[in-house]
Amino acid sequence: MKLVTAIIKPFKLEEVRDALTSLGVHGMTVTEVKGYGRQKGHTEIYRGAEYAVSFLPKIKLEVAIDTALADKVIEAITQSARTGQIGDGKIFVQPVERALRIRTGERDGEAL
């Protein structure tokens, strides 16, 4: 099992969700986060004054999946979240040792 964590632009969430649903991904966790990467934020002009915005709004998407599906999920997120602009995001993949569905007691792959 793998835990795929993607940091994406907020307006791309629905497109990414649709792509993952079409692959058979049944659930995901979505969190609103703020951060910056190489671009180090940006500047905005508001009422004639220039402001530095260091942390940009992003979406953190977490999906626990079977290892066999990992490459397809990563490709689906990459294709649906890409805008070609700076700040499109990152994808992190981590191994999951165990999973347990609290309600039924199902374990590992059955719990997903």
Side-chain angles (χ1 to χ4, degrees), residues 25-91:
V25 175
H26 300 295
M28 62 187 69
T29 301
V30 176
T31 310
E32 293 180 8
V33 296
K34 291 182 182 235
Y36 70 90
R38 291 183 181 162
Q39 81 271 18
K40 307 269 191 291
H42 66 276
T43 57
E44 290 183 0
I45 298 175
Y46 179 71
R47 294 190 178 182
E50 192 171 287
Y51 295 95
V53 179
S54 298
F55 295 97
L56 303 173
K58 300 285 185 176
I59 294 291
K60 180 179 178 182
L61 176 77
E62 296 175 301
V63 182
I65 54 169
D66 188 67
T67 302
L69 237 125
D71 290 335
K72 290 180 182 178
V73 166
I74 292 166
E75 184 63 26
I77 294 171
T78 301
Q79 292 301 318
S80 56
R82 179 178 287 146
T83 65
Q85 302 295 316
I86 193 164
D88 274 351
K90 297 256 186 335
I91 299 174

